[in-house]
Amino acid sequence: MPDTPAAAQPQIVITGAAGALGRAVTQHVLDQGARVALLDRDAAHLRQAFPGLENSPHLLLPADVSSAGSVAQAAAQILRTFGTVDAVVHIAGGFEMGEPVHGLDRAAWDRMMDLNAWSFVAVTQAFAPAMIERGAGAFVAVSAKSAGRGVAHMAAYCASKSALQRLVESAAAELAPHGIVVNSIAPGVLDTPANRQAMPDANPSEWVSTTVAAQTIAFLAGGGAQALHGQHLVLD
């Protein structure tokens, strides 16, 4: 991961770790020798997803990414334990089909914006200061291909992912002078059990493998992506 000494163990924070993509990313970076701090809203879900990581050098912490206070509390514990964080992979978010724009409910709008856009603000607030002090680090967000264009009955979701991309671009410009890179992946449909259940008539071979997405995320979190700033790698 970014510019750590050859013998150093990369230390990586992953939000939404208990989900399908979170598990794939976690396994990939563990295979690369990383030490991980895994965040998810439900502590029991985390323990169930990663039973072998309890009572280990890794951390499993509950956190609500839509709450800056909750993320800050988790970050403080991570930084006390790890000392430094090389990369933060922000996977946590949400998806909802919804009403047409003219019938959109404010609660649904706020829910998507909190989960997909504000959560990135909360995560960068929690971890960027320590990275700035160190002069190195990486943030990788998970956006969506649909951030590029509105889709019927997905207005709040598409708008929130578009907002996330603008936040990634702004943060990239702000943090690049401090040696920190900020980028995102923008997958189409991910091949997850939930998506297979929701779309039983679709062809999953046309979707994006979580294994491939995890490899791309690891690249963006690593030293090879030091010349990428505010980019959204479309996976489709």
Side-chain angles (χ1 to χ4, degrees):
M1 304 339 191
D3 291 337
T4 53
Q9 180 183 37
Q11 302 191 128
I12 302 174
V13 176
I14 301 171
T15 74
L21 180 56
R23 293 194 301 273
V25 172
T26 298
Q27 188 59 59
H28 184 78
V29 299
L30 285 173
D31 290 345
Q32 292 185 322
R35 185 186 190 189
V36 296
L38 306 179
L39 276 58
D40 204 274
R41 185 163 191 166
D42 188 335
H45 195 191
L46 265 178
R47 290 192 297 271
Q48 183 180 14
F50 304 103
L53 296 188
E54 291 188 84
N55 303 313
S56 75
H58 308 289
L59 289 176
L60 279 64
L61 300 174
D64 176 2
V65 294
S66 66
S67 164
S70 178
V71 178
Q73 184 176 8
Q77 183 173 346
I78 293 166
L79 290 168
R80 281 195 305 269
T81 304
F82 285 12
T84 59
V85 167
D86 296 299
V88 176
V89 178
H90 181 45
I91 299 172
F95 171 81
E96 290 181 7
M97 296 295 293
E99 300 299 323
V101 172
H102 63 273
L104 191 60
D105 177 74
R106 179 59 186 267
W109 172 268
D110 289 345
R111 197 159 48 246
M112 289 294 92
M113 284 294 174
D114 281 347
L115 286 170
N116 294 325
W118 175 255
S119 63
F120 180 76
V121 177
V123 166
T124 54
Q125 285 178 344
F127 291 100
M131 290 184 180
I132 290 170
E133 183 176 355
R134 185 184 176 207
F139 289 96
V140 184
V142 176
S143 177
K145 183 182 177 184
S146 55
R149 185 175 179 83
V151 179
H153 300 284
M154 289 171 52
Y157 174 76
C158 293
S160 66
K161 287 296 190 179
S162 180
L164 171 60
Q165 289 192 346
R166 305 296 79 78
L167 289 167
V168 164
E169 292 159 9
S170 295
E174 294 156 357
L175 296 175
H178 301 284
I180 302 164
V181 297
V182 187
N183 296 287
S184 84
I185 66 165
V189 180
L190 286 169
D191 186 3
T192 67
N195 283 337
R196 288 191 179 219
Q197 183 176 3
M199 294 175 277
D201 297 327
N203 181 6
S205 68
E206 298 176 351
W207 297 349
V208 179
S209 159
T210 55
T211 299
V212 170
Q215 293 169 349
T216 308
I217 287 170
F219 165 72
L220 289 176
Q226 289 298 294
L228 295 177
H229 301 277
Q231 300 300 306
H232 314 293
L233 301 191
V234 176
L235 309 182
D236 192 21

